[in-house]
Amino acid sequence: MTLALAIHGGCGTLPKAEMTEAEWAQARSDLASALRAGWAILSKGGAAVDAVEAAVRVMEDSPHFNAGHGAAFNTEGEHELDASIMDGATLAAGAICGAKRIRNPITAAKALMLRGDPLLLAGPAADDFAEHEGVDTVANEHFSTERRRKNLASMKLREIVGTAAEASEAEKHGTVGAVACDAQGHLAAATSTGGYTNKPVGRVGDSPIIGAGTYARDGRCAVSGTGKGEYFIRYCVGHEIASLIAYKGLSLKAATDAVLAELSEHKVGAGLVAVGADGSIVAPYNTEGMYRGWVTEDGLIHVATHDHVELAGQA
Amino acid sequence: MTLALAIHGGCGTLPKAEMTEAEWAQARSDLASALRAGWAILSKGGAAVDAVEAAVRVMEDSPHFNAGHGAAFNTEGEHELDASIMDGATLAAGAICGAKRIRNPITAAKALMLRGDPLLLAGPAADDFAEHEGVDTVANEHFSTERRRKNLASMKLREIVGTAAEASEAEKHGTVGAVACDAQGHLAAATSTGGYTNKPVGRVGDSPIIGAGTYARDGRCAVSGTGKGEYFIRYCVGHEIASLIAYKGLSLKAATDAVLAELSEHKVGAGLVAVGADGSIVAPYNTEGMYRGWVTEDGLIHVATHDHVELAGQA
């Protein structure tokens, strides 16, 4: 079976001027680190579900992505974190939303999946569960970064002057995610996010919604999405791609292109990474850029933010 | 276009001895009232999405169903309510979870749908939204009934003596839902629940999850589910049925039977009501009974709890 691992760190316009060259290089380097963490598990015969967790954890800990440390601020200047994970072998899944104190939300989601029930925990109960399970908790300020604080100030200003709709995606959105196929041919997907800058308190997007932002089923595909979450929920993006493959006989590429085309029709900025039952990888997006990366069979790491794909050494 | 309206009030073993004959009659009568409320809208040319809201509101206000007044108690003796609604014409949707003060959660979900964004609000934010929109709010005790209090005591006892798994579905679960097809051929679905008795604080089931417990898309179907929510999420039940119809060419009956069969394989008690693009109705379940009802083209009301279907007059 072909091992496969792909990740994303959010899509959008990603204006080059928004960060220094050194910061862009650091973001690409963190993508490569995430891929190395996941690949280390896959290449030793580990499970896809462990690999996607490991890759997402690295991005949650990086300030460059809107998840964990580096998460967006909500309208009250706090961080509310959402995450989910799904094991395509068993359809087991775990998800949390509105967490405020879990350092790595994806690890809490996985712990919930392993416990088996409930599947989705919201709000303080998610934080309490993490604490009870020995998953690292931190103060909410742990997730704060200077860049996101500026994003919040900018969005508040745009709100006042009425230009919120014109804000760049980088100011607003962002999500991280990973998909994998392991040596046993099992698929898995994981997604984690801080939502979007200036989001209403209590807003839950697609990242913790199984079938929308995250979906995996052996023999079909694993998908992790990024973009305007409300549309990912309405279009059941993850499960829609799996259905087009299973019931309409589309290839992974044709299925993901079809769904992206439908979202584009509605002017929804969107991107995703997906892996097929055969270990094939796609990473399409309809925005100017998407933080992304994957490892090819030969163990070579590829990372990209815009069109140009960079080789980042051996995994 | 054939008008169609179907509702459910939860599935399970529904032991006859659990209620007096008068109580069973009252439950059937409340089902009929819910159908009348929805049909009054459809028969005047109203929208499917308004009809499902109206039908669900009646069941939320009835003590006989686990939604609104009559909702299950969580493990701390409080009520946390979940609901969602979807308009198949536009794929617009609204959902709330973990609400504690909204008298009719389905109406808050619809208000959120009409506002357009966000799609899903969790916890106190859902209550605050309802209050802000002028949707009726009440004290949490409004939802309490003597019967659910006994269910909680019984489940707490079962927890201690280790027989929680043997509890009847009636002691634990319950959900209400409605699906409709209007004169314009538009489909809609709505679902509302108190979850299950003794549920962990913060647990969110499938009822507020678009694609799982609730789904509607014109030309495909509208679905509202009841049963073990975690499995409805893992199997994306609503969207799975729509996909089998749209991409595999199955009939509504074949699609719902296939999904029920898959859930039965995993010993998941489950039921649902669904309406097809042509206004056809199905109300399958794999448990001993399901509170359910529908109106036929001639305006006749049908209600049932177990095998026997009763005529309850003209809508």
Side-chain angles (χ1 to χ4, degrees):
Chain A
M1 184 57 63
T2 310
L3 300 185
L5 178 65
I7 61 173
H8 69 78
C11 71
T13 44
L14 315 186
K16 294 230 168 124
E18 224 162 64
M19 297 201 298
T20 63
E21 243 333 297
E23 286 173 317
W24 282 106
Q26 189 56 53
R28 288 193 301 270
S29 165
D30 287 354
L31 287 172
S33 298
L35 288 166
R36 274 190 199 94
W39 196 257
I41 289 169
L42 291 179
S43 61
K44 283 182 197 126
V49 75
D50 295 325
V52 293
E53 181 209 5
V56 165
R57 279 178 67 96
V58 172
M59 291 185 283
E60 285 176 337
D61 285 339
S62 161
H64 286 287
F65 310 108
N66 176 5
H69 178 60
F73 286 95
N74 69 15
T75 189
E76 292 192 351
E78 280 203 308
H79 308 281
E80 294 184 300
L81 310 179
D82 304 336
S84 70
I85 191 165
M86 186 166 194
D87 183 345
T90 58
L91 302 188
I96 58 158
C97 63
K100 291 186 179 177
R101 297 189 288 116
I102 307 170
R103 179 178 162 187
N104 292 104
I106 200 64
T107 295
K110 192 178 137 197
L112 202 50
M113 180 189 87
L114 293 177
R115 194 169 74 169
D117 201 74
L119 188 152
L120 172 55
L121 276 181
D127 293 315
D128 294 346
F129 167 77
E131 206 155 57
H132 184 264
E133 293 286 309
V135 173
D136 253 20
T137 52
V138 291
N140 196 252
E141 298 75 42
H142 163 80
F143 306 115
S144 303
T145 55
E146 203 41 49
R147 183 173 159 213
R148 297 297 175 204
R149 213 179 286 282
K150 282 181 189 158
N151 291 159
L152 181 62
S154 156
M155 288 303 296
K156 292 276 187 199
L157 186 62
R158 286 179 180 281
E159 208 171 38
I160 292 163
V161 299
T163 60
E166 296 153 30
S168 77
E169 289 294 315
E171 274 179 272
K172 291 188 299 184
H173 287 107
T175 298
V176 308
V179 292
C181 177
D182 65 26
Q184 282 69 50
H186 296 318
L187 306 181
T191 311
S192 181
T193 189
Y196 59 86
T197 298
N198 204 26
K199 70 177 178 181
V201 172
R203 177 265 185 184
V204 180
D206 64 309
S207 298
I209 307 297
I210 297 302
T214 303
Y215 188 71
R217 182 163 182 162
D218 280 7
R220 300 187 183 180
C221 62
V223 179
S224 171
T226 167
K228 186 84 182 84
E230 280 70 14
Y231 284 85
F232 274 71
I233 296 175
R234 290 162 66 173
Y235 286 91
C236 300
V237 166
H239 189 261
E240 174 78 2
I241 292 167
S243 298
L244 288 169
I245 293 169
Y247 303 137
K248 211 177 173 184
L250 297 195
S251 68
L252 179 69
K253 184 174 184 322
T256 52
D257 284 351
V259 171
L260 260 282
E262 188 163 32
L263 292 171
S264 298
E265 261 176 51
H266 293 87
K267 305 200 189 310
V268 179
L272 57 88
V273 288
V275 56
D278 60 354
S280 57
I281 285 172
V282 295
Y285 55 96
N286 64 9
T287 51
E288 284 178 45
M290 178 166 80
Y291 292 97
R292 62 201 187 279
W294 56 88
V295 183
T296 41
E297 254 184 282
D298 48 15
L300 264 182
I301 290 181
H302 300 66
V303 295
T305 56
H306 298 75
D307 286 345
H308 177 68
V309 177
E310 181 180 293
L311 286 178
Q314 204 71 23
Chain B
M1 184 56 63
T2 310
L3 300 184
L5 178 65
I7 60 172
H8 69 78
C11 71
T13 44
L14 315 184
K16 295 230 167 124
E18 223 161 67
M19 299 202 296
T20 65
E21 242 335 296
E23 286 172 317
W24 282 106
Q26 190 55 53
R28 289 193 300 271
S29 165
D30 288 354
L31 288 172
S33 298
L35 288 165
R36 273 189 199 95
W39 196 257
I41 289 169
L42 291 179
S43 60
K44 284 180 196 127
V49 74
D50 295 325
V52 294
E53 180 208 5
V56 166
R57 279 178 66 97
V58 172
M59 292 185 281
E60 285 176 336
D61 285 339
S62 162
H64 286 286
F65 309 109
N66 176 6
H69 178 61
F73 286 95
N74 69 16
T75 188
E76 292 192 352
E78 281 202 308
H79 308 281
E80 294 185 299
L81 310 179
D82 304 334
S84 69
I85 191 164
M86 187 167 194
D87 184 344
T90 58
L91 303 189
I96 57 159
C97 64
K100 290 188 179 177
R101 298 188 289 116
I102 307 170
R103 181 179 161 186
N104 292 106
I106 201 64
T107 295
K110 191 178 141 199
L112 202 50
M113 180 189 86
L114 293 176
R115 193 169 77 167
D117 201 76
L119 189 152
L120 172 55
L121 275 181
D127 294 316
D128 294 346
F129 167 78
E131 206 155 55
H132 184 263
E133 294 286 308
V135 173
D136 254 20
T137 52
V138 292
N140 196 253
E141 299 73 45
H142 163 81
F143 307 113
S144 302
T145 56
E146 203 40 49
R147 182 173 161 215
R148 298 294 175 204
R149 215 179 286 282
K150 281 182 189 158
N151 290 160
L152 180 63
S154 156
M155 286 304 295
K156 291 276 188 201
L157 187 62
R158 284 180 180 281
E159 209 172 37
I160 292 162
V161 300
T163 60
E166 294 153 32
S168 76
E169 290 295 315
E171 273 177 272
K172 292 188 299 182
H173 288 107
T175 298
V176 308
V179 292
C181 177
D182 65 26
Q184 282 70 49
H186 296 318
L187 307 180
T191 312
S192 181
T193 189
Y196 59 87
T197 298
N198 205 25
K199 71 178 178 180
V201 172
R203 177 263 186 186
V204 180
D206 64 309
S207 297
I209 307 297
I210 297 302
T214 303
Y215 188 71
R217 183 164 181 160
D218 280 9
R220 300 186 183 179
C221 62
V223 180
S224 172
T226 168
K228 186 86 181 82
E230 280 69 15
Y231 284 86
F232 274 71
I233 296 175
R234 291 163 64 171
Y235 287 91
C236 299
V237 166
H239 189 262
E240 174 78 1
I241 292 167
S243 299
L244 287 169
I245 292 169
Y247 303 136
K248 210 178 174 181
L250 296 195
S251 69
L252 179 69
K253 184 175 184 318
T256 52
D257 285 351
V259 171
L260 260 283
E262 188 164 32
L263 292 171
S264 299
E265 260 176 52
H266 294 87
K267 305 199 189 312
V268 179
L272 56 89
V273 288
V275 56
D278 60 353
S280 58
I281 284 171
V282 296
Y285 54 95
N286 64 9
T287 52
E288 282 178 47
M290 178 167 81
Y291 293 98
R292 63 200 186 279
W294 57 89
V295 183
T296 41
E297 254 184 284
D298 49 15
L300 265 181
I301 289 180
H302 300 66
V303 295
T305 55
H306 298 76
D307 286 344
H308 177 68
V309 177
E310 181 179 292
L311 286 178
Q314 204 72 24

